[in-house]
Amino acid sequence: MREMKKWLMVAAVVALCGMMTGCKGKSNAQRPVNGTMEEAVVPGEAPQAVVDLMKHVNIDDRYETLMENKTTGVSVWSLMKCSDEVSSEGYGIVVGKGDVKTALPQMRHGRMPRARYDAATGDLWILGSQAEGTGVNIERPYLLHFDDNGYASIINSIEPYEMQQALFKALTYSIDGQDITFYAEGKPLTTVTNHIEDMGGFMDDAIYIGEQLSYGIEGPITVHVTPGVNFVVGKVLHYDDMPTISATVTMTESGPALSDFRVEE
């Protein structure tokens, strides 16, 4: 009986060691990133003052020029204020082609809008903001085309939640001590080291994306995402030491397709 108990104790210790070893191995396994957005972001409504003002477009000092292409006659302006007393609250875009102007009061441009026109394809990309604030920068690209009369209309856009879901399919991470390795489509991109020591360690779901989502429209459309770290202490994501991961975006009928993942220098 004593020999049986002794054997059982040894077997239990061996099993426990195996479990501990397995857990350690699992901590280094690739895990899917998590998302801060749980559903599609519903665009806000432009203030009535913006809607009323843009019923009759008159480009003056209330507008800021985002782009002016004298060769094609295409220009883009953002409304900065309705008056000295009334803010536009980040809403209002005007697109011009020659003497024809299209008012888009419901388009939110935010703090750092950009625009680019490709005369060869007729693509006009306008980059606006879906949300911004402390630790948050969520941009939204809009694709516009002109009709035969010179009026512009939005034919496509990249909704932030849609992009987050596309990134979900490609991005994973693993943790080894304080080192975090990021992967795209199973291939390692980069390893960074966490230097934050007073937040109680990583949560089980340590890496989130969605709060830092921006784009490049200067050439082929690129998305730039900076992951945030979730620690045991507090519910605020931290971006210290985190890389910015970029990918080329191709618009398809089923949504944005991503390729050529890399890390921004």
Side-chain angles (χ1 to χ4, degrees):
M1 184 62 71
R2 289 182 178 178
E3 290 297 322
M4 178 63 71
K5 290 182 177 179
K6 182 178 180 181
W7 183 87
L8 290 173
M9 290 177 63
V10 170
V13 170
V14 170
L16 180 60
C17 289
M19 291 173 63
M20 292 175 66
T21 302
C23 289
K24 183 177 180 180
K26 189 176 181 181
S27 69
N28 295 330
Q30 293 185 41
R31 316 178 197 178
V33 297
N34 307 280
T36 61
M37 292 177 279
E38 297 181 355
E39 59 185 7
V41 179
V42 179
E45 290 287 330
Q48 190 61 44
V50 172
V51 176
D52 292 341
L53 175 68
M54 297 185 72
K55 288 178 180 178
H56 305 283
V57 176
N58 178 31
I59 302 300
D60 53 25
D61 62 0
R62 292 172 293 187
Y63 290 86
E64 178 182 38
T65 302
L66 299 185
M67 189 202 75
E68 185 176 18
N69 189 319
K70 294 182 179 180
T71 301
T72 61
V74 174
S75 299
V76 180
W77 300 271
S78 60
L79 179 65
M80 304 308 294
K81 60 182 180 180
C82 298
S83 67
D84 290 339
E85 294 76 29
V86 180
S87 169
S88 71
E89 298 181 27
Y91 284 90
I93 289 286
V94 174
V95 175
K97 187 172 186 181
D99 295 329
V100 179
K101 293 182 175 60
T102 304
L104 301 165
Q106 298 296 340
M107 185 181 291
R108 190 175 189 281
H109 52 79
R111 294 177 183 170
M112 296 182 63
R114 280 101 69 201
R116 180 179 67 85
Y117 180 61
D118 187 334
T121 62
D123 291 346
L124 173 61
W125 284 98
I126 299 178
L127 190 55
S129 175
Q130 189 78 61
E132 56 202 359
T134 303
V136 177
N137 179 36
I138 304 175
E139 294 184 334
R140 181 168 186 163
Y142 296 87
L143 177 60
L144 293 81
H145 277 181
F146 294 98
D147 64 18
D148 293 339
N149 296 315
Y151 288 98
S153 61
I154 300 170
I155 65 167
N156 211 337
S157 72
I158 304 177
E159 199 276 325
Y161 179 76
E162 182 181 36
M163 177 52 70
Q164 177 185 267
Q165 299 308 101
L167 289 164
F168 272 170
K169 298 177 182 178
L171 297 181
T172 53
Y173 71 99
S174 65
I175 295 179
D176 183 7
Q178 296 301 313
D179 292 336
I180 304 173
T181 300
F182 291 93
Y183 307 81
E185 299 174 331
K187 299 178 181 179
L189 284 173
T190 187
T191 298
V192 296
T193 301
N194 169 61
H195 294 97
I196 298 176
E197 300 177 348
D198 58 351
M199 298 301 293
F202 302 120
M203 289 286 287
D204 290 339
D205 295 330
I207 302 299
Y208 280 76
I209 62 171
E211 284 189 350
Q212 294 284 335
L213 198 61
S214 59
Y215 292 84
I217 60 172
E218 294 75 18
I221 306 304
T222 55
V223 61
H224 310 283
V225 57
T226 304
V229 183
N230 189 22
F231 291 96
V232 172
V233 178
K235 296 183 179 180
V236 178
L237 295 179
H238 293 258
Y239 294 92
D240 296 355
D241 307 312
M242 290 298 102
T244 295
I245 299 169
S246 299
T248 300
V249 181
T250 302
M251 303 299 293
T252 71
E253 292 183 357
S254 57
L258 305 179
S259 60
D260 189 23
F261 284 87
R262 63 267 189 196
V263 175
E264 294 290 298
E265 297 295 334

